[in-house]
Amino acid sequence: MADNTATKSSETPLVRLAPFNVPFIRRRQTAAVALWLVSLPTTLFFFFITCTIVFFLPWIIAYLLFVLFDIAPENGGRRFEFARRAKFWKWYSEYFPIKLIKQADLDPSKNYVFGYHPHGVISVGAWTNFATEANNFSKVFPGITCRLLTLTSNFNIPLYRDYLMAQGCASVSRQSCENILKKGPGHSIIIVVGGAGESLNARPGVYDLVLKRRLGFIKLAVRNG
């Protein structure tokens, strides 16, 4: 019994703090990832703080009414290239690191439905390659305008929704998918097929694909050519 206890305690992972001599480049990469991780609570905190200031109340009411009737998430969002090309996304990509590997040319006169796997905990790879220009997607696949799709509920979160759309994200609803694909040549979508269900299977060394009841993206591709 004592031997088993000793074995189990020796296998328990230990928390290790970063040493003081970590290079500045690595600290910069870590900071970029940390800022991304707190983007949701930060935007919510800022929104609720402004709600406590009487001067901003008329603006907040106008903004919430705008959010209520805004159809941008269903029409490809409002992407801003300066947000996608921000320098810190490169640092963010280098932290892991994450790469974009091209295996075939894509005809820019056509539209594409891309499937991304695995979901992971928060789809870091999909965000890096398709919601930013950290790995130069637009240069690797010229003429392809790709939008990373996420849950419609994310676009009900004040300010955070605008941050997502600035990065080129849009709703994953069927209507949204069809609206984007009908925008013209090159307009494409990327769907994290496994969704939240697959994220629950995210463990080191395990790549389980949740697909059996998620074949709607195939029907969508067929309907839209």
Side-chain angles (χ1 to χ4, degrees), residues 128-148:
T128 305
N129 283 327
F130 308 109
T132 79
E133 284 291 330
N135 291 325
N136 302 311
F137 179 89
S138 61
K139 292 182 179 179
V140 177
F141 298 101
I144 305 296
T145 302
C146 192
R147 289 175 173 83
L148 178 62

Side-chain angles (χ1 to χ4, degrees), residues 2-208:
D3 291 339
N4 291 338
T5 303
T7 302
K8 290 181 180 179
S9 61
S10 64
E11 294 176 352
T12 303
L14 300 176
V15 176
R16 297 193 303 173
L17 300 178
F20 287 105
N21 61 346
V22 171
F24 172 75
I25 293 177
R26 186 58 177 172
R27 291 191 181 276
R28 185 174 64 183
Q29 295 166 355
T30 305
V33 175
L35 287 173
W36 177 74
L37 288 173
V38 300
S39 58
L40 175 57
T42 299
T43 50
L44 283 176
F45 175 77
F46 181 77
F47 175 75
F48 286 121
I49 285 295
T50 56
C51 287
T52 64
I53 303 174
V54 177
F55 174 79
F56 290 113
L57 287 181
W59 300 97
I60 292 172
I61 293 173
Y63 172 73
L64 292 177
L65 288 173
F66 170 75
V67 170
L68 183 63
F69 295 103
D70 185 23
I71 61 173
E74 299 289 328
N75 286 278
R78 283 185 290 269
R79 58 192 287 152
F80 293 102
E81 288 303 315
F82 75 87
R84 293 171 54 84
R85 297 177 185 275
K87 182 65 176 178
F88 60 79
W89 291 128
K90 191 68 176 177
W91 306 337
Y92 173 94
S93 176
E94 292 170 348
Y95 172 85
F96 297 96
I98 294 172
K99 297 181 179 180
L100 178 64
I101 300 173
K102 180 178 183 178
Q103 294 184 315
D105 291 323
L106 298 179
D107 185 353
S109 67
K110 297 181 179 180
N111 306 93
Y112 299 90
V113 175
F114 298 104
Y116 178 88
H117 162 74
H119 184 288
V121 178
I122 39 181
S123 300
V124 171
W127 176 271
T128 305
N129 283 327
F130 308 109
T132 79
E133 284 291 330
N135 291 325
N136 302 311
F137 179 89
S138 61
K139 292 182 179 179
V140 177
F141 298 101
I144 305 296
T145 302
C146 192
R147 289 175 173 83
L148 178 62
L149 304 186
T150 184
L151 294 173
T152 303
S153 58
N154 285 328
F155 298 98
N156 296 327
I157 305 174
L159 300 183
Y160 185 67
R161 66 189 299 275
D162 303 291
Y163 162 66
L164 291 178
M165 286 193 287
Q167 297 298 142
C169 295
S171 168
V172 76
S173 70
R174 185 178 67 178
Q175 187 61 53
S176 171
C177 294
E178 293 183 345
N179 289 343
I180 295 170
L181 294 173
K182 291 177 181 177
K183 282 182 174 291
H187 286 275
S188 304
I189 57 177
I190 180 161
I191 302 173
V192 185
V193 180
E198 190 174 278
S199 69
L200 300 177
N201 297 327
R203 300 186 302 278
V206 177
Y207 299 97
D208 291 335

